[in-house]
Amino acid sequence: MIQGSDLNFRADQPALDVEGLTVTYGKEPALWNADLRLDRGSLAAVVGPNGAGKSTLLKAALGVVPRVSGRVRVLGEDPARRRRLVAYVPQRTSVDWDFPTSVLDVVLMGTYGQLGWFRRPGRKERALALHSLEQMEMADLAGRQIAELSGGQQQRVFLARALVQDAEVYFMDEPFAGVDAVTEQSIASLMGHLAHRGKTILSVHHDLATVPRYFEHAVLLNRAVQAVGTIKEVFHRGNLDRLYGGRVPAGVPDLAPS
Amino acid sequence: MSAPWVDLDPTLVVVAAGTTTVGAVSGALGCFAYLRRQGLVGDVVSHSALLGVVGAFVLVHAITGSASRSLFILVPGALVAGTAALMLARSVSIRTRLNDDASLGVMLSIFFGGGLFLLRWVQRQSPPIAGHTGLEDYIFGMAAAMTRADLWMIFALGGGALVVLFLMWKELKVFTFDPDFARSQGLPSRLLDTLLMGLLVAGVVIGIQTVGVILMIALLVTPAAAARQWTSSLSTMALLAAAFGAVAGAGGALLSASAASLPTGPVVVLLATTIFLLSLLLAPRRGVIARARARRVLRDVPPRAAGGAS
Ligand SMILES: Nc1ncnc2c1ncn2[C@@H]1O[C@H](COP(=O)(O)OP(=O)(O)OP(=O)(O)O)[C@@H](O)[C@H]1O
Ligand SMILES: [Mg+2]
């Protein structure tokens, strides 16, 4: 499943380069002429109202949904050639957690890409998966059936699966959804560590109040990309009011004058 | 003293081997249909197969003048009809405002109705088409009609389906659990989707002779649902479902052979349903009894001293 995957990339290539991206499911475009460029090592939040196309942006960058027009480059190549360098944390609610499988099994799915067709995960893959679970403080639940996890534990399992992929670019869809304060902290510090090591993170995030604390960059998205840049540059009340149609509640820190 | 199986009627051996295989294969394949919530898809395939079976019979009779109910003729007919019904349903739901379930339902009615209509037409021909009797058995199943050649057909298709399932296990598993993630890893979702459909169609068409087109869906879904009660591992679930299906298939063949008036298909399905109901009651964690017991244990815990306002 990794045929054509290219592990080489130049260090100066942007992690993600999106130009004029349009994606539609039915008639209405979910993404319209979106432009976006992220350097390697970026720690970026995708922010925007429900239905703004945030998940769609991630899926287009992963090459999971077909694009109508536009161009997507991951580390300088088409997403289809960068599978091995990209990890994906889907929206937690997008799968059926009553599926008959164990925590370790789900994390092992992160090794399937490297294994290729027909080969089964073995001792080495198990060790990698256990190590990722340890990083997410979930090692003692490795044998647990996934139907018996709490929401926060499910989220940790998905993150462990992304970690085991050992990718360069991480696309995460609402990794903080429904987790408690402790888990939130550990996910945030995990992201910080990854970015510190030069990995790139693009994560959908709904809680405006914590965006400046957890992220260095923001992508303001509503069908089209309204602004991209550092938190200081783009994450201020003027932009946010425009993004949400003037309904941003108080309590969002006003970092920069608008 | 001779061992009992030495006295077994060779026809019964063929029939029992056939129904056992059918049960095992549909049990294993049914797990994926069950987890992907595609029971209706299986139902459409099996109901449509009637049109395919009768149509293949009529076509071969028109071309060659001979009437044959060999599975080598009828199974390809069923494959074509089942696949056509699925493809039509898909294009209807893409091109119209009908949702997936509605368009599947429409195709089920059209193809099954068409099958019944064609069957009646065949039965009313004069002079009668020799060898048409027995076609109507595909509605409720007639395992006793199984020949040695039919058995080979069942082995080939069913075995092939199981081999594919085994080889593609981890791909089909991740695709079933988390299709978007599977796609992000570069797995071809269209191909895997088609493959799973193909396996489902293969499982259905080898089973309709035994169980009949109406009840076939029960043999796909019931063993899987029963197995799900006992285990939380997909591979164990598939093995258990295969075992449940095999037991139901073998039991159905033996029971209906011992009591002449018992129809095989319904007996097989009733056995599978019995296994399912027992699983629902008795399974350790998920079973009704285990859960009631767990609740009672919780209720019996003495309330804390400071219980709060009530
Ligand atoms: N599979 C699909 N089929 C049809 N329409 C879809 C599909 N997925 C998303 N859409 C539509 O595309 C638009 C963007 O959806 P998307 O899931 O990308 O939004 P989002 O920003 O992630 O929203 P949320 O904050 O609710 O997760 C929405 O209008 C949605 O209805
Ligand atoms: Mg979303």
Side-chain angles (χ1 to χ4, degrees):
Chain A
M1 62 185 87
I2 44 153
Q3 285 93 356
S5 189
D6 202 338
L7 284 174
N8 303 313
F9 58 93
R10 292 205 324 269
D12 59 336
Q13 274 163 339
L16 179 64
D17 194 358
V18 173
E19 277 173 26
L21 176 65
T22 297
V23 177
T24 73
Y25 294 102
K27 269 187 185 158
E28 293 266 294
L31 272 181
W32 177 251
N33 202 16
D35 290 311
L36 164 67
R37 200 182 151 109
L38 279 184
D39 287 329
R40 286 185 59 229
S42 301
L43 177 49
V46 185
V47 177
N50 288 133
K54 303 180 295 295
S55 301
T56 305
L57 174 68
L58 297 198
K59 289 180 189 174
L62 287 155
V64 164
V65 293
R67 38 184 193 270
V68 175
S69 64
R71 206 183 73 131
V72 176
R73 288 285 176 268
V74 176
L75 294 163
E77 282 279 355
D78 191 86
R81 294 179 54 79
R82 290 305 197 196
R83 309 276 190 211
R84 286 267 317 263
L85 295 173
V86 165
Y88 178 36
V89 179
Q91 220 161 325
R92 179 165 55 84
T93 47
S94 67
V95 304
D96 173 15
W97 288 93
D98 199 32
F99 193 86
T101 194
S102 69
V103 165
L104 185 67
D105 251 9
V106 173
V107 179
L108 278 171
M109 290 176 187
T111 67
Y112 286 6
Q114 283 156 52
L115 283 170
W117 290 92
F118 309 124
R119 275 182 58 213
R120 308 271 158 113
R123 193 185 292 253
K124 183 181 141 223
E125 284 75 25
R126 277 169 186 282
L128 288 172
L130 270 174
H131 180 66
S132 301
L133 279 171
E134 265 160 35
Q135 282 177 271
M136 293 315 302
E137 288 156 42
M138 285 281 292
D140 46 333
L141 295 185
R144 177 80 66 95
Q145 352 177 339
I146 60 168
E148 298 177 351
L149 296 177
S150 74
Q153 290 165 340
Q154 294 170 354
Q155 199 65 65
R156 286 167 187 256
V157 172
F158 264 6
L159 284 159
R161 182 178 68 178
L163 282 181
V164 91
Q165 292 184 268
D166 193 25
E168 280 298 315
V169 186
Y170 292 79
F171 295 109
M172 306 187 178
D173 206 340
E174 303 190 24
F176 294 102
V179 305
D180 65 20
V182 178
T183 306
E184 184 164 324
Q185 269 311 320
S186 65
I187 295 175
S189 72
L190 170 78
M191 288 180 170
H193 282 305
L194 289 171
H196 190 69
R197 283 167 42 206
K199 314 288 184 189
T200 311
I201 292 162
L202 185 63
S203 173
V204 176
H205 194 65
H206 269 302
D207 181 11
L208 297 180
T210 52
V211 167
R213 213 180 320 148
Y214 297 152
F215 296 93
E216 289 158 9
H217 306 82
V219 178
L220 308 190
L221 185 77
N222 195 357
R223 297 279 170 98
V225 175
Q226 300 199 345
V228 201
T230 63
I231 298 292
K232 252 199 159 70
E233 286 163 1
V234 300
F235 199 74
H236 51 68
R237 182 157 293 281
N239 272 349
L240 291 176
D241 280 348
R242 191 147 45 84
L243 183 65
Y244 287 88
R247 285 178 284 110
V248 177
V252 177
D254 232 352
L255 271 187
S258 46
Chain B
M1 237 169 77
S2 68
W5 58 82
V6 176
D7 304 329
L8 278 182
D9 174 4
T11 344
L12 179 58
V13 174
V14 168
V15 170
T19 54
T20 309
T21 312
V22 162
V25 171
S26 43
L29 295 177
C31 291
F32 285 88
Y34 173 83
L35 292 169
R36 280 160 43 94
R37 299 170 206 281
Q38 284 194 327
L40 183 55
V41 172
D43 213 16
V44 171
V45 172
S46 70
H47 277 80
S48 315
L50 184 65
L51 181 59
V53 162
V54 183
F57 176 85
V58 169
L59 200 66
V60 167
H61 181 261
I63 293 172
T64 68
S66 69
S68 164
R69 283 187 288 114
S70 154
L71 280 194
F72 283 88
I73 292 164
L74 304 188
V75 159
L79 280 172
V80 169
T83 314
L86 287 187
M87 282 172 23
L88 281 171
R90 183 173 291 181
S91 74
V92 164
S93 66
I94 290 174
R95 293 205 173 82
T96 68
R97 293 186 61 94
L98 284 187
N99 65 24
D100 289 356
D101 281 3
S103 23
L104 283 170
V106 168
M107 287 309 145
L108 187 149
S109 331
I110 293 177
F111 276 73
F112 186 53
L116 288 175
F117 183 86
L118 193 62
L119 180 61
R120 181 51 62 91
W121 180 84
V122 170
Q123 290 168 334
R124 291 278 169 85
Q125 285 303 294
S126 65
I129 303 178
H132 77 77
T133 49
L135 277 182
E136 68 276 5
D137 286 337
Y138 275 85
I139 298 176
F140 290 114
M142 183 62 162
M146 201 180 288
T147 66
R148 213 165 265 275
D150 292 345
L151 185 60
W152 287 119
M153 182 72 166
I154 290 173
F155 281 164
L157 257 182
L162 290 185
V163 167
V164 172
L165 200 61
F166 180 77
L167 285 178
M168 308 279 289
W169 184 257
K170 80 175 194 305
E171 285 77 16
L172 294 175
K173 176 174 166 177
V174 65
F175 177 67
T176 302
F177 172 60
D178 192 346
D180 279 342
F181 178 78
R183 237 166 286 166
S184 82
Q185 295 274 281
L187 284 180
S189 51
R190 184 82 56 82
L191 185 85
L192 291 178
D193 194 47
T194 312
L195 185 72
L196 277 171
M197 292 283 188
L199 292 177
L200 190 63
V201 174
V204 165
V205 296
I206 61 170
I208 50 174
Q209 185 187 38
T210 303
V211 183
V213 300
I214 293 182
L215 289 176
M216 186 58 211
I217 186 60
L219 195 56
L220 273 173
V221 175
T222 322
R228 181 67 186 96
Q229 306 305 313
W230 297 93
T231 176
S232 293
S233 139
L234 182 59
S235 41
T236 313
M237 178 178 166
L239 289 174
L240 256 186
F244 288 161
V247 167
L254 296 179
L255 275 180
S256 58
S258 63
S261 56
L262 284 181
T264 325
V267 174
V268 170
V269 168
L270 282 178
L271 284 175
T273 310
T274 309
I275 295 174
F276 169 67
L277 290 177
L278 287 177
S279 306
L280 211 56
L281 276 177
L282 301 177
R285 298 170 95 95
R286 295 188 156 238
V288 173
I289 292 177
R291 290 211 276 189
R293 191 174 292 165
R295 268 199 301 275
R296 204 175 50 227
V297 169
L298 286 182
R299 238 198 336 262
D300 291 348
V301 170
R304 286 278 190 80
S310 66

